[in-house]
Amino acid sequence: MLTPKYPPQDTPSPPPTQPQTAAPVPAAQAHAPVTPEPPVSTRPTIQLTPGSALALAAGGGAVVLVVGAVLVSLLLAVAITGVSVAVVAIVLRLLVNDLNKSR
């Protein structure tokens, strides 16, 4: 049930061939250093002009400023919420103490 099922092969596999022996290398070529060719990239290269570099730096600076402003505003919202909860807790404690004293 859990074993894979492979489709039948339509063509028979080729018969195994004898391994070919490598031809002897002349002594002059045996000690020659082999330098591999650098890989060729198919990706397009990006060329920055001074104007595009300036635009990229300005855009990065703007992103940093916006993210910083958002984080500071979130921290400020948490701080204001904490202070207001503390004030409410103090007022409730005073009200409960007044109720207990009046009885």
Side-chain angles (χ1 to χ4, degrees):
M1 181 171 122
L2 297 176
T3 58
K5 293 180 175 50
Y6 298 107
Q9 290 184 344
D10 293 336
T11 59
S13 61
T17 58
Q18 294 292 334
Q20 296 179 352
T21 58
V25 178
Q29 292 179 356
H31 298 291
V34 178
T35 57
E37 294 183 18
V40 178
S41 175
T42 58
R43 296 186 302 179
T45 58
I46 298 174
Q47 297 176 352
L48 290 176
T49 62
S52 63
L54 184 64
L56 186 64
V63 167
V64 167
L65 288 176
V66 168
V67 169
V70 168
L71 290 178
V72 167
S73 65
L74 287 174
L75 182 64
L76 186 62
V78 169
I80 291 172
T81 304
V83 168
S84 64
V85 167
V87 168
V88 168
I90 291 172
V91 169
L92 284 177
R93 189 177 78 178
L94 290 175
L95 289 174
V96 168
N97 284 341
D98 281 346
L99 284 176
N100 287 337
K101 286 182 183 179
S102 65
R103 287 184 181 186

